[in-house]
Amino acid sequence: MIVKWRDRGSSRTTSLSLSEDQRQCLVCGAPGAPGHTWLLKEMGDGTQIGLISDNGEDSHRISPSPVVHVRGLCEAVVEADLIDALEKFGPICYVMMMPFKRQALVEFTAVESADRCVSCGAKEPVYIAGQQAYFNYSTSKRITRPTNADNPNSGNKVLLLSIQNPLYPITTDVLYTVCNPIGSVLRIVIFKRNGIQAMVEFESVQCAQKAKAALNGADIYAGCCTLKIEYARPTRLNVIKNDNESWDYTKPYLVRRGKTHTGRQRQAILGEHPSSYSDNSYGPPCPLLPLPGNSRYKLTSVDVPDMVSYPLPQSSSSYSGHAPSSVAMVSGLHPSKMNCTRIFNLFCLYGNIEKVKFMKSVPGTALVEMGDEYAVDRAITHLNSIKVFGKRLNVCVSKQHAVIPSQVFELEDGSSSYKDFAMTRNNRFSSAGQASKNIIQPPSAVLHYYNLLCVFWQLCTEHDVPGFVKFKMFDAKPSSKTISGLLEFDSKTEAVEVLTVLNHYQIRIPNGSNPYTLKLCFSTSSHL
């Protein structure tokens, strides 16, 4: 392979011929695959470390930085694994996990330490949690902290937990079960501002540091409820009541936890969610599982309580005085622009949809029967109070426990007021495998698209919805007839409207045997 290489600190360009043993894919480590980005490994005297691509161009020359971009991590990796593997290169001052991308950013206190990390990774394998990882300099000179608590040694003992892909309810009992074995928890507050987030106050800064390292990037339940942890802004939490969403454990009336036996697996802190044990009950209490075996923060037998359990969740009932139900009531629907299909397009991101029915007696209101009460909980969390076509939705738990197709009438757009979606292939939670691939995300201005031909702007115009302002296309196989990527809109509201109208749109092509189904979801990216 012939590549062009620019020497560090000069404009001189050299043509080089690289054999397969002199290059490796930055992501997967494999030699020779077209379209990959390569890390220059060995050029004899005057070795240079940097990025090259197999198209003969200097792909994105990155100058040395104290921040290192780590790729190729295994799914079970947590922050402590990175610290264990990389602190030999120098002191680490901050780590940002990107669990769904299997990547992380590691900020060293000195650029020399980052240099040693990148250089060593180019010359010999560096293993993190038993899997070889790959390194390059980040374009950032410093990891942006989401709060002003930049210094882990600043006396901050409160952590901010963001729960990504929350397929199951997160309560104070769940977080106490996860966090307290690592360090004594004083108070917990759960809030639903940007998805599901919580603040956990520990007894000391040292406890908070250990918890962040041990849990950052871990799954609470297998394949979901992934923790992303930062230091919070407040240094103390103010709790006024003890319930599922807030608790002060310094008060004398704490709930006693039950006891059970424990099973062991690495991937999830609490293993499978209790609802997976039985169709009609929550099964035995779910145990707390151990931290990664190679973690220096691994709990000893003295630290771990004999048994802890997960209590029966009462998630949906917290939104109203009604008992939990798998039916959501949605009001504030635009009379001429919303119908059963468009409700499905929006609500299917948070759980399977069985039936949708508009209420004739209450204009602008519909009942949505979902797969279970957890799906209703997720829909309320993420869709309540959002604007769609200029009207603000109100989503709450319905008194009804099933949708009955009575009093069917015609909506303003001519479609039926009732539709059964139980057998549609567009439901995204029909199996455990399907459900684990869905990232539960609040509405954002960036949409992730799949199965799209190059006609999206035309579709926006035809359906009178806003067009995107930026786009990013992911690499596709040469034989692929469709593309996937990201679309950024001017606002979250515009993205919501586009998804509501165009999600699952059937794209037909001349002489094609089957139409392509456009699939949209909200991206974890806030901007492109």
Side-chain angles (χ1 to χ4, degrees):
M1 182 183 73
I2 304 297
V3 300
K4 291 183 179 180
W5 179 256
R6 184 177 295 111
D7 290 334
R8 180 180 297 171
S10 76
S11 59
R12 185 169 60 89
T13 299
T14 306
S15 293
L16 303 174
S17 177
L18 297 183
S19 61
E20 288 190 354
D21 62 352
Q22 290 177 317
R23 55 192 169 99
Q24 65 185 44
C25 176
L26 198 58
V27 177
C28 66
H36 284 213
T37 299
W38 310 101
L39 187 66
L40 188 60
K41 293 173 63 177
E42 180 65 43
M43 290 307 300
D45 294 338
T47 295
Q48 302 289 331
I49 303 299
L51 297 176
I52 53 177
S53 61
D54 57 3
N55 60 4
E57 299 292 336
D58 184 355
S59 61
H60 40 280
R61 192 78 172 90
I62 302 175
S63 60
S65 164
V67 180
V68 172
H69 191 175
V70 187
R71 298 170 182 262
L73 298 172
C74 66
E75 292 182 355
V77 74
V78 294
E79 181 177 321
D81 296 321
L82 279 92
I83 295 173
D84 283 340
L86 304 183
E87 64 180 355
K88 63 184 178 182
F89 299 117
I92 295 171
C93 61
Y94 212 81
V95 175
M96 176 179 286
M97 302 294 296
M98 295 179 276
F100 289 108
K101 298 181 180 179
R102 299 174 64 185
Q103 300 174 13
L105 294 177
V106 176
E107 182 180 330
F108 291 90
T109 55
V111 69
E112 292 77 14
S113 301
D115 217 14
R116 285 192 290 270
C117 177
V118 174
S119 299
C120 181
K123 295 176 181 178
E124 60 187 50
V126 175
Y127 293 91
I128 299 177
Q131 181 164 309
Q132 185 176 356
Y134 305 93
F135 310 89
N136 63 285
Y137 297 115
S138 170
T139 54
S140 303
K141 302 299 181 185
R142 180 178 180 276
I143 296 176
T144 301
R145 277 68 155 171
T147 72
N148 62 1
D150 291 348
N151 185 0
N153 300 313
S154 63
N156 192 344
K157 59 180 181 178
V158 180
L159 297 181
L160 173 64
L161 281 60
S162 298
I163 294 87
Q164 301 176 335
N165 200 16
L167 292 181
Y168 301 108
I170 300 299
T171 66
T172 49
D173 284 296
V174 172
L175 295 181
Y176 185 90
T177 302
V178 168
C179 297
N180 194 64
I182 301 171
S184 180
V185 173
L186 302 184
R187 298 169 189 88
I188 297 175
V189 175
I190 298 173
F191 50 96
K192 297 166 183 176
R193 188 176 306 142
N194 297 312
I196 307 294
Q197 292 184 302
M199 288 190 187
V200 179
E201 180 184 346
F202 289 85
E203 188 175 53
S204 66
V205 178
Q206 291 71 30
C207 289
Q209 290 174 340
K210 290 174 64 177
K212 181 175 183 291
L215 300 176
N216 192 10
D219 289 345
I220 294 179
Y221 297 111
C224 64
C225 300
T226 303
L227 292 170
K228 183 177 181 180
I229 304 177
E230 305 289 346
Y231 291 98
R233 179 172 284 113
T235 56
R236 188 186 187 283
L237 299 180
N238 181 31
V239 175
I240 60 175
K241 61 178 179 178
N242 287 352
D243 58 17
N244 278 348
E245 297 187 346
S246 65
W247 205 286
D248 188 336
Y249 296 94
T250 64
K251 299 295 190 288
Y253 40 87
L254 295 182
V255 176
R256 293 193 61 180
R257 286 166 171 72
K259 296 185 178 245
T260 185
H261 296 287
T262 183
R264 304 282 173 176
Q265 75 177 38
R266 175 189 171 124
Q267 288 79 2
I269 301 169
L270 297 183
E272 296 292 340
H273 185 267
S275 62
S276 64
Y277 286 103
S278 169
D279 291 334
N280 301 315
S281 68
Y282 287 92
C286 190
L288 176 71
L289 301 179
L291 300 176
N294 65 341
S295 169
R296 60 176 174 172
Y297 299 107
K298 182 179 179 181
L299 305 180
T300 66
S301 58
V302 177
D303 298 322
V304 182
D306 290 338
M307 289 152 245
V308 291
S309 65
Y310 174 69
L312 184 71
Q314 299 292 334
S315 59
S316 298
S317 59
S318 64
Y319 291 97
S320 69
H322 307 149
S325 167
S326 59
V327 178
M329 184 168 69
V330 188
S331 57
L333 298 168
H334 193 285
S336 62
K337 294 186 177 181
M338 289 299 287
N339 55 33
C340 294
T341 299
R342 290 183 175 183
I343 288 177
F344 173 86
N345 289 343
L346 182 58
F347 277 71
C348 73
L349 302 184
Y350 304 103
N352 283 346
I353 308 298
E354 300 289 330
K355 304 166 189 172
V356 177
K357 183 182 87 167
F358 278 76
M359 301 173 69
K360 191 168 187 177
S361 59
V362 188
T365 301
L367 296 177
V368 182
E369 183 177 338
M370 305 190 74
D372 51 49
E373 65 203 54
Y374 305 125
V376 172
D377 185 29
R378 295 192 293 269
I380 293 171
T381 298
H382 296 300
L383 298 180
N384 187 39
S385 296
I386 68 165
K387 275 192 172 183
V388 186
F389 302 118
K391 298 181 70 69
R392 194 172 296 278
L393 298 187
N394 179 38
V395 187
C396 63
V397 180
S398 172
K399 293 180 182 179
Q400 299 189 31
H401 291 268
V403 169
I404 300 172
S406 59
Q407 291 186 305
V408 177
F409 59 97
E410 190 175 280
L411 299 176
E412 286 191 25
D413 66 353
S415 65
S416 173
S417 65
Y418 169 80
K419 192 166 184 179
D420 190 325
F421 293 95
M423 302 304 294
T424 179
R425 297 180 63 182
N426 291 328
N427 269 319
R428 304 183 183 186
F429 296 79
S430 298
S431 66
Q434 254 191 334
S436 66
K437 295 177 182 179
N438 296 310
I439 300 177
I440 306 299
Q441 184 71 12
S444 70
V446 180
L447 297 181
H448 197 148
Y449 64 86
Y450 306 85
N451 285 354
L452 177 64
L453 298 166
C454 301
V455 293
F456 195 87
W457 191 271
Q458 180 182 340
L459 291 178
C460 292
T461 303
E462 290 175 357
H463 291 83
D464 193 27
V465 292
F468 57 85
V469 293
K470 294 181 183 178
F471 74 94
K472 179 179 180 180
M473 188 186 306
F474 297 151
D475 292 337
K477 295 180 180 179
S479 59
S480 177
K481 297 179 180 179
T482 61
I483 57 176
S484 63
L486 301 176
L487 300 168
E488 181 177 347
F489 296 83
D490 272 332
S491 67
K492 177 174 68 177
T493 300
E494 289 190 358
V496 169
E497 292 178 2
V498 170
L499 181 141
T500 301
V501 173
L502 294 180
N503 199 11
H504 306 122
Y505 185 81
Q506 298 282 299
I507 303 173
R508 300 182 181 275
I509 57 174
N511 303 320
S513 56
N514 295 304
Y516 291 95
T517 300
L518 168 62
K519 292 189 177 182
L520 300 169
C521 65
F522 297 116
S523 170
T524 55
S525 302
S526 57
H527 58 82
L528 300 184

